[in-house]
Amino acid sequence: MLDRANEKKYDLNFISLSLKNGFEHIKNNWLVLLVCFFISRYTIIGEIFPFSIIVLSLYYYINGPSVVALLVSEFSVLSVEFSFVYTVMLIAIYLFFYNFRNDEKKPIVIISAYSAIVLFSSKTSILIVDGFNVTGVLLNVFEALFIFSSIILVNEGINIIEKVKLNRKKENIHSFKEHESKKNIINKEIKAVAAATASDTVTKRYRRVSRTKSSDQKLLNIFTDKAKDKIKEQLLWENINVKYLEIISGNKGSIFLSVTIKSEKTPEQSEESIIFAVRNICGVRVKCTEKITASQNYYVLKFKNVNRVKIKTYVAKATKDGSPMSGDSYYYAGKSDKYYTVLCDGIGSGVDAFNESNGTVGMLSRFLYTDFTEEQTIKTLNSLLMLKFDDERYVTFDLHIIDYGLKEIRLYKAGSSPSFILSGGVLEKVESKSLPMGILDNFEYNMFKRTIRKGDIIIMISDGIIDSINLDNKKSLERYLETLREKDPQMIANSILSFALRGQNTIIDDMTVLVTKIG
């Protein structure tokens, strides 16, 4: 009795699960099913049933066998008249796809041939029973050939449309990644900055580009065969032949990929294409951890997913009394698995100071989208400023790079004010003793590296904050920051600015506070 009760419960669960899957299928494909219904119904009325077979065969070929689609087609036929022949043909097509549902997808030629044979054999059998005639047989042959060729042609049309869409997306995004284009962009932007025109507009444009995502398409589960096939297909269009693709799930949400490819591209170019394909199809950000050259044009590349960390920067600032604009400029943005914040201060205040600091920030933001290393970027930037500035002009430079792939922060400082890191209840002060940018050709800067974790807060300030606080011997920024540990980032930024201005009748210098929180 117990066994029978369990068996009955299993059956009920199976029926419930089947109904749930059926309703979910209707929800996701209601428009296609509606088209199937009306085409099947109209073709019965107009006696051109082959259109129904074409639609149903292509639907099964693309989405797999579906009882819902079969029932919709059968209902559309029965809503006009009861046709035993048409009903049998539809069931025969469904059973063919259902029988091979777990096998590799059959070539479209086989699918077309089977559908044509089903139509020809069914109609010819009825013709023999009703009375054989040559005209009827020829008509059945014509309809079978029509089905065979139509299924192939429509399927090729669908593939062409998908490839055109894929190529357009690929061309739009990859146009930003061509090396010569990068050089032209850098040269144009440097000239624009040197003329001190439109640099703010260019910064906003690049900020928008860095945030662009291909969110308009449905992302696939990276562990499914469909996702793997899509990745291989996209890479094949880029002349990268994937010989082996393995995706493994690790601990704490880690994902590992091992890809064996054959391509005339370099390993670096192939790496870039694979990263883009995985992100575009599955929405998973990965980075290459190992590249192995097996033989000429054969590579093994290993990847690991990058867990995105929520990072946000908050700002508080004040402009010197009597000055038309602030001489402090800042910029923050995320790129790949890094997050950048930079704060520059031009000498003095006003328009000249703004042009110097804003030009420096603008040029740096351009370099972030090149293949330059961090050290090359800073030294090149100093060389450009040496050409731009005269002997009496310079700019302080404070760049923070949060690398959440390595779980560290790198601080590059040149003549800038100290930075502060609040981590686990401990306050650390990071100071620099190097000269500002644009003074010496043999440029030296200070670089600091610290481990970071979720919840850490990084504080950047301009020299106006320090100078204002130093006017009062009783004030201590370090002691004051100790009282702000439990505050939210925007409150910390506002409080530091208020603390610097406390007791001052005028704003003696431009002041800027950047507070960045990790997680």
Side-chain angles (χ1 to χ4, degrees):
M1 291 293 292
L2 182 61
D3 292 341
R4 291 180 181 178
N6 291 336
E7 183 179 358
K8 185 177 181 180
K9 184 178 180 180
Y10 173 80
D11 291 338
L12 289 175
N13 289 337
F14 176 77
I15 295 172
S16 175
L17 182 61
S18 299
L19 290 173
K20 183 178 179 182
N21 292 336
F23 284 121
E24 187 68 23
H25 188 83
I26 294 173
K27 180 180 177 182
N28 296 333
N29 301 278
W30 65 270
L31 183 59
V32 179
L33 294 172
L34 194 63
V35 172
C36 288
F37 174 83
F38 283 109
I39 289 180
S40 298
R41 194 174 190 277
Y42 176 77
T43 52
I44 288 295
I45 298 173
E47 296 184 355
I48 47 173
F49 184 73
F51 282 113
S52 301
I53 295 182
I54 294 170
V55 172
L56 201 62
S57 297
L58 285 171
Y59 183 89
Y60 288 160
Y61 181 73
I62 296 172
N63 296 322
S66 169
V67 176
V68 175
L70 175 63
L71 294 176
V72 168
S73 300
E74 293 285 8
F75 177 71
S76 64
V77 172
L78 296 175
S79 66
V80 179
E81 63 179 22
F82 178 78
S83 175
F84 178 76
V85 178
Y86 291 158
T87 300
V88 170
M89 280 192 279
L90 292 174
I91 294 175
I93 293 174
Y94 170 78
L95 292 177
F96 173 80
F97 283 93
Y98 183 82
N99 186 48
F100 297 102
R101 66 189 184 282
N102 295 323
D103 296 346
E104 187 176 352
K105 185 179 286 188
K106 301 294 183 183
I108 190 64
V109 175
I110 295 179
I111 303 301
S112 305
Y114 177 79
S115 300
I117 290 172
V118 168
L119 178 90
F120 179 77
S121 58
S122 300
K123 286 201 168 185
T124 303
S125 299
I126 298 300
L127 182 65
I128 293 174
V129 173
D130 293 342
F132 182 82
N133 62 81
V134 177
T135 303
V137 173
L138 292 177
L139 181 61
N140 292 343
V141 171
F142 172 76
E143 288 186 333
L145 291 175
F146 174 75
I147 281 186
F148 178 80
S149 58
S150 296
I151 292 177
I152 294 177
L153 291 175
V154 174
N155 181 68
E156 286 300 313
I158 294 173
N159 290 337
I160 290 173
I161 292 173
E162 289 182 351
K163 289 174 183 177
V164 168
K165 290 181 179 179
L166 186 63
N167 283 339
R168 283 184 178 178
K169 286 184 180 180
K170 185 171 61 177
E171 289 172 2
N172 289 338
I173 297 179
H174 275 274
S175 61
F176 289 100
K177 298 181 179 180
E178 294 295 334
H179 186 67
E180 292 299 324
S181 297
K182 293 175 185 175
K183 285 186 176 180
N184 292 334
I185 291 173
I186 294 171
N187 291 334
K188 290 179 181 179
E189 300 307 333
I190 289 174
K191 290 179 181 179
V193 170
T197 57
S199 60
D200 191 44
T201 302
V202 174
T203 301
K204 293 180 181 178
R205 176 165 61 85
Y206 270 87
R207 197 174 293 178
R208 289 197 299 269
V209 171
S210 67
R211 294 173 183 170
T212 301
K213 296 179 181 178
S214 55
S215 57
D216 57 330
Q217 67 176 35
K218 186 177 180 181
L219 300 176
L220 302 177
N221 186 334
I222 193 171
F223 297 104
T224 61
D225 291 336
K226 187 175 182 180
K228 295 177 183 177
D229 292 339
K230 285 287 185 182
I231 292 172
K232 292 178 181 178
E233 179 182 344
Q234 180 167 329
L235 292 175
L236 189 60
W237 274 95
E238 299 186 39
N239 297 321
I240 299 175
N241 188 3
V242 178
K243 297 296 185 181
Y244 176 76
L245 172 59
E246 182 181 20
I247 303 175
I248 301 174
S249 176
N251 296 328
K252 298 181 180 180
S254 298
I255 301 174
F256 301 92
L257 287 78
S258 179
V259 189
T260 302
I261 61 171
K262 179 184 179 183
S263 177
E264 295 182 358
K265 291 187 174 183
T266 65
E268 290 72 21
Q269 291 173 331
S270 301
E271 171 193 342
E272 184 177 320
S273 298
I274 294 172
I275 291 174
F276 172 74
V278 173
R279 182 178 175 183
N280 186 47
I281 295 170
C282 305
V284 178
R285 296 172 179 265
V286 296
K287 65 176 181 179
C288 186
T289 57
E290 186 178 2
K291 289 190 282 283
I292 302 172
T293 303
S295 61
Q296 186 177 5
N297 296 337
Y298 276 87
Y299 310 110
V300 179
L301 290 86
K302 297 184 179 181
F303 299 84
K304 182 181 182 298
N305 68 314
V306 178
N307 294 321
R308 288 297 303 270
V309 179
K310 183 180 179 181
I311 302 176
K312 193 171 182 180
T313 299
Y314 303 82
V315 184
K317 57 184 179 178
T319 303
K320 180 182 178 180
D321 285 346
S323 179
M325 59 184 62
S326 175
D328 298 342
S329 296
Y330 59 88
Y331 174 82
Y332 52 87
K335 177 181 177 291
S336 186
D337 57 347
K338 297 181 179 66
Y339 186 87
Y340 302 87
T341 54
V342 59
L343 175 61
C344 293
D345 183 8
I347 183 173
S349 60
V351 176
D352 290 339
F354 169 78
N355 289 337
E356 292 164 2
S357 62
N358 191 59
T360 304
V361 169
M363 284 190 285
L364 175 67
S365 66
R366 306 295 92 68
F367 281 116
L368 298 181
Y369 294 90
T370 67
D371 295 328
F372 286 8
T373 64
E374 295 165 8
E375 291 77 11
Q376 288 173 336
T377 296
I378 295 173
K379 290 184 177 180
T380 303
L381 187 58
N382 180 72
S383 299
L384 292 172
L385 294 178
M386 287 288 296
L387 296 174
K388 179 182 176 182
F389 294 163
D390 56 35
D391 294 338
E392 297 180 356
R393 309 302 297 180
Y394 58 85
V395 63
T396 65
F397 179 81
D398 197 359
L399 171 65
H400 294 183
I401 301 176
I402 299 174
D403 191 331
Y404 41 84
L406 300 177
K407 295 183 178 179
E408 68 179 23
I409 180 173
R410 295 183 289 277
L411 301 91
Y412 295 89
K413 289 180 165 292
S416 61
S417 301
S419 299
F420 299 89
I421 301 176
L422 274 169
S423 178
V426 178
L427 177 67
E428 181 183 1
K429 183 179 181 180
V430 182
E431 292 184 279
S432 167
K433 295 183 179 180
S434 62
L435 294 173
M437 277 188 168
I439 297 178
L440 298 176
D441 187 32
N442 187 17
F443 174 67
E444 293 185 2
Y445 57 88
N446 295 132
M447 196 278 275
F448 307 89
K449 188 184 297 184
R450 299 290 186 271
T451 302
I452 57 171
R453 60 183 180 180
K454 189 176 180 180
D456 285 359
I457 294 177
I458 297 95
I459 302 169
M460 305 171 71
I461 57 177
S462 63
D463 59 0
I465 298 289
I466 298 296
D467 294 341
S468 183
I469 292 175
N470 288 341
L471 292 176
D472 188 347
N473 294 331
K474 296 180 181 180
K475 287 185 179 180
S476 171
L477 181 57
E478 287 90 334
R479 287 199 304 268
Y480 184 69
L481 290 176
E482 294 282 355
T483 66
L484 302 177
R485 292 178 180 175
E486 305 301 325
K487 304 291 184 180
D488 65 84
Q490 187 62 65
M491 180 65 71
I492 293 175
N494 295 340
S495 298
I496 293 173
L497 183 61
S498 298
F499 180 70
L501 294 173
R502 190 180 303 165
Q504 307 292 331
N505 295 325
T506 60
I507 301 175
I508 63 172
D509 195 5
D510 301 318
M511 302 181 188
T512 303
V513 183
L514 301 181
V515 179
T516 301
K517 184 173 182 180
I518 303 173

